[in-house]
Amino acid sequence: SAVKEIKEGELSETVAEVQESENWRDYLPASTKHFTGRKDLKTNLINFLNQVSLKKTYRRVFYIDGKSGWGKSSLITNLRGSSKNKHYRKRFFVLAVDARSASSSNFVALAFKKLIENAQKGNFLITSLFYSKLNITSSFDILGSESVHQLLKDLERQNKTLILIFDQFEDVFRKPGLFKAFHKFLLDVDEVKSNLILGFSWKSEINIPIGHEAYHLWQQAKNFAHCISMREFNPSETNGVIKQLEKSINKPIGLELKRRLIESSQGFPWLIKKLCIHTYKQIQAGKTIENLVEQDLNCK
C-alpha cells in the first residue's frame, strides 16, 4: 500500500508549541495574564467546546479566521491558559502547535501523539495500559488503530475532551503532502464525532488559487468547521492595552497622549500593541509624556 507505517527513524521532526508572552511588552501571542477584551470571541469558543462535550453539536472542527496581527494566536494561547483553570482542567486539554515547524506529512500524526503524551504527563488522562503505547497506523490513518479507538471511548466515558490546534495553519499549504494528511485527519475527526476537537487558525488575506490541488479540499474543510472571525479592537479593548502601558510606567499617560494612541492605532490590535511598546521604550529612554505629544509619538 502507498500508505506506509510511521517508523521510529522518521519521527525526527519537532512539533513546536505556540509561544506566549511572559510580559505584556513581548511581541508574542498574549498569555491569559496579558489577554485583553475579546469577551464575545472567548465565549463563542468555550461555548463550542461545551457543546461538543455535551454532544449538542455535530461539529468537531473549528477555525479562527482573521487578518495578520488581529489576535488569532492570542485567542488560542488564552484558551490554552483558561483550560488549565479549576473550572476546565478536568474537562479540556489543549495542545496548540505552530504549523510553521512542520516539515513532512508526519507532522499531524506527531502532533496528535504529543497531545496524548502531554495529556498523560499532566494526569489529564486516566490511562489504561492498553493505549499507554499508542499505535498510530500511518500519517494518513491517525485514528484507525484499536488503541486510538479505546482512547476515544475512555474520553467519552470520563467526559474529557482533547483539543489539538494548528496555529499559522496557512503554512501547511507550502508543504506538499502535508495538507492531504491534515485533511484526512480532519475528515476522520469529523466522522468519529468523539471527544476530540481539531482547531486551526487562518490568515484571511491568504487565498488559495482555484488551480491549486488543495483548493477544493480547503473549501470542504471550511464547510466542516465552526468559524470564529476576529474583528478590530473596540475602544475598551484598545484602552485595555493602554492600561497595561500605564501600569508598567506607574502613572497615567494623560488624555492627549491617550487620544493620539487611540487615533493612530485605528482599531488594529497589532498596531496599538506596537505603539504602546514604542511609547514604553521612549519613556524608559527619558522622554516625557509632553515630549511624545509634541513629537507626535516620535515614531515613523
Side-chain angles (χ1 to χ4, degrees):
S1 117
V3 172
K4 58 184 189 305
E5 286 200 15
I6 295 180
K7 296 181 181 65
E8 276 308 308
E10 293 167 353
L11 302 184
S12 57
E13 72 179 282
T14 308
V15 177
E17 293 186 46
V18 178
Q19 298 299 297
E20 62 179 55
S21 62
E22 284 184 23
N23 195 299
W24 78 271
R25 302 187 302 277
D26 298 337
Y27 208 69
L28 279 170
S31 63
T32 306
K33 187 181 169 191
H34 306 124
F35 191 85
T36 54
R38 303 303 206 189
K39 194 162 184 266
D40 53 334
L41 303 176
K42 288 195 302 187
T43 304
N44 183 335
L45 190 45
I46 213 79
N47 282 352
F48 173 68
L49 303 188
N50 280 323
Q51 284 187 319
V52 170
S53 112
L54 295 166
K55 301 269 187 284
K56 288 190 169 174
T57 176
Y58 60 89
R59 294 189 192 276
R60 293 295 180 273
V61 181
F62 72 88
Y63 78 103
I64 300 169
D65 178 56
K67 292 181 185 168
S68 212
W70 280 34
K72 298 181 296 296
S73 303
S74 292
L75 190 62
I76 290 167
T77 50
N78 177 68
L79 176 69
R80 179 175 63 192
S82 303
S83 72
K84 293 172 184 167
N85 73 27
K86 64 176 194 297
H87 218 57
Y88 297 119
R89 65 171 179 245
K90 290 194 166 78
R91 292 178 53 214
F92 299 126
F93 188 90
V94 175
L95 177 70
V97 300
D98 188 335
R100 292 173 301 185
S101 66
S103 61
S104 79
S105 56
N106 287 337
F107 184 75
V108 183
L110 293 172
F112 179 66
K113 196 164 176 264
K114 186 168 185 171
L115 170 70
I116 308 304
E117 284 167 0
N118 286 12
Q120 285 176 326
K121 276 183 215 149
N123 295 322
F124 178 78
L125 291 176
I126 302 160
T127 58
S128 62
L129 285 169
F130 191 67
Y131 60 78
S132 59
K133 279 261 174 271
L134 195 72
N135 172 30
I136 295 174
T137 315
S138 82
S139 45
F140 289 90
D141 188 16
I142 294 167
L143 303 183
S145 74
E146 196 47 53
S147 58
V148 175
H149 289 175
Q150 183 62 45
L151 165 72
L152 296 175
K153 276 183 202 153
D154 284 0
L155 283 168
E156 289 192 34
R157 208 181 59 245
Q158 295 167 25
N159 191 24
K160 290 173 183 253
T161 305
L162 291 175
I163 300 143
L164 178 58
I165 308 172
F166 291 83
D167 193 23
Q168 308 281 355
F169 180 74
E170 58 287 337
D171 238 64
V172 164
F173 288 92
R174 304 198 177 111
K175 322 240 164 47
L178 178 54
F179 183 74
K180 286 179 179 165
F182 178 86
H183 189 256
K184 174 67 168 65
F185 182 55
L186 181 145
L187 294 181
D188 291 347
V189 167
D190 181 76
E191 193 183 333
V192 298
K193 304 219 182 300
S194 185
N195 287 31
L196 173 63
I197 296 174
L198 174 62
F200 56 99
S201 72
W202 182 259
K203 267 194 191 92
S204 52
E205 59 264 49
I206 292 185
N207 288 310
I208 298 170
I210 288 185
H212 193 290
E213 60 170 350
Y215 176 81
H216 295 292
L217 299 180
W218 168 235
Q219 296 305 321
Q220 189 186 16
K222 285 201 296 189
N223 293 339
F224 274 105
H226 172 75
C227 176
I228 294 168
S229 289
M230 301 307 288
R231 51 167 177 74
E232 290 177 15
F233 262 178
N234 63 33
S236 85
E237 288 165 334
T238 302
N239 231 335
V241 183
I242 293 171
K243 279 192 182 118
Q244 291 179 330
L245 162 66
E246 290 180 324
K247 198 173 166 189
S248 64
I249 61 168
N250 286 320
K251 61 180 173 188
I253 58 167
L255 287 174
E256 191 50 41
L257 183 54
K258 189 182 271 193
R259 190 177 64 77
R260 292 282 169 97
L261 287 170
I262 291 169
E263 279 175 9
S264 304
S265 72
Q266 309 163 61
F268 297 141
W270 63 271
L271 190 47
I272 188 61
K273 185 156 181 184
K274 271 202 151 158
L275 288 166
C276 284
I277 292 169
H278 168 78
T279 304
Y280 172 80
K281 285 178 176 167
Q282 292 281 303
I283 290 168
Q284 291 301 100
K287 295 261 184 205
T288 66
I289 285 165
E290 293 70 37
N291 291 152
L292 288 171
V293 170
E294 280 160 25
Q295 294 164 10
D296 210 12
L297 306 178
N298 193 30
C299 67
K300 293 183 178 65

